Amino acid sequence: MGEDAATTLISDSIFYISIGINDYIHYYLLNVSNVTNLYLPWRFNHFLASSLSQQIKNLYNLNVRKMVVTGLAPIGCAPHYLWQYGSQNGECVEQINNMAVEFNFVMRYMVENLSAELSDANIIFCDVFEGSMDIIKNHERY
């Protein structure tokens, strides 16, 4: 495959970008390096979104034009956090899910701004939180 064919393949491909879950699970919620004292959740979300925005621009400069950016799933519904926070009836941990909702809000805004800035790119945000919560709340339908 030559350079032209590779460039065409890249620009015709759809890139799936999932970011943030490990940053929360393995870094923020565990308070590695005292991060929760350095960043409130809102500021941490902006930090992650800013980092991803730059990476998406880097991909764009490599001729990537089609991207799907996913948000966070309802982390506060994971069995580990139900146990850690002492959920009695399987209720999700609202404090953690609120951080995920805020993250998704910031990510959606960032994607909208990048879509306007990089007008020949097709960048969409996929909100996995809402779909996952529907399955959790209405599991009998699935």
Side-chain angles (χ1 to χ4, degrees), residues 38-55:
L38 298 173
Y39 295 100
L40 292 173
W42 185 252
R43 177 57 65 199
F44 189 67
N45 291 334
H46 281 272
F47 169 74
L48 293 177
S50 175
S51 298
L52 179 58
S53 177
Q54 186 55 55
Q55 294 308 315

Side-chain angles (χ1 to χ4, degrees), residues 1 5-16 59 62-68 121-122:
M1 174 181 295
T7 299
T8 300
L9 178 65
I10 288 170
S11 65
D12 289 344
S13 297
I14 299 172
F15 285 70
Y16 181 84
L59 289 171
L62 295 170
N63 292 318
V64 174
R65 293 297 184 266
K66 300 172 187 168
M67 295 172 247
V68 176
N122 187 4

Side-chain angles (χ1 to χ4, degrees), residues 4 8 17 26 30 35 42 47-48 55 59 62 71 75-76 96 100 106 110 122-123 125-126 130 134:
D4 290 340
T8 300
I17 303 168
H26 300 296
L30 291 176
V35 70
W42 185 252
F47 169 74
L48 293 177
Q55 294 308 315
L59 289 171
L62 295 170
I75 306 168
I96 295 174
V106 171
M110 180 270 300
N122 187 4
I123 309 168
F125 177 76
C126 178
E130 292 301 322
D134 187 55

Side-chain angles (χ1 to χ4, degrees), residues 9-142:
L9 178 65
I10 288 170
S11 65
D12 289 344
S13 297
I14 299 172
F15 285 70
Y16 181 84
I17 303 168
S18 176
I19 186 172
I21 191 78
N22 288 331
D23 296 295
Y24 268 97
I25 291 175
H26 300 296
Y27 189 65
Y28 195 81
L29 294 174
L30 291 176
N31 197 22
V32 172
S33 300
N34 205 29
V35 70
T36 56
N37 292 332
L38 298 173
Y39 295 100
L40 292 173
W42 185 252
R43 177 57 65 199
F44 189 67
N45 291 334
H46 281 272
F47 169 74
L48 293 177
S50 175
S51 298
L52 179 58
S53 177
Q54 186 55 55
Q55 294 308 315
I56 288 174
K57 289 177 184 178
N58 291 343
L59 289 171
Y60 178 85
N61 290 334
L62 295 170
N63 292 318
V64 174
R65 293 297 184 266
K66 300 172 187 168
M67 295 172 247
V68 176
V69 179
T70 64
L72 292 179
I75 306 168
C77 300
H80 172 76
Y81 295 109
L82 299 180
W83 167 78
Q84 184 178 4
Y85 284 75
S87 174
Q88 298 300 313
N89 299 315
E91 294 296 319
C92 299
V93 181
E94 191 173 343
Q95 171 188 355
I96 295 174
N97 277 350
N98 286 344
M99 286 188 272
V101 168
E102 286 180 0
F103 176 81
N104 291 346
F105 177 82
V106 171
M107 293 297 286
R108 181 184 305 275
Y109 182 76
M110 180 270 300
V111 165
E112 289 172 1
N113 285 339
L114 279 176
S115 291
E117 181 182 338
L118 309 173
S119 59
D120 65 327
N122 187 4
I123 309 168
I124 62 169
F125 177 76
C126 178
D127 189 344
V128 294
F129 187 94
E130 292 301 322
S132 298
M133 285 305 294
D134 187 55
I135 292 169
I136 290 168
K137 291 178 178 178
N138 303 300
H139 57 276
E140 66 281 346
R141 281 197 256 163
Y142 299 90

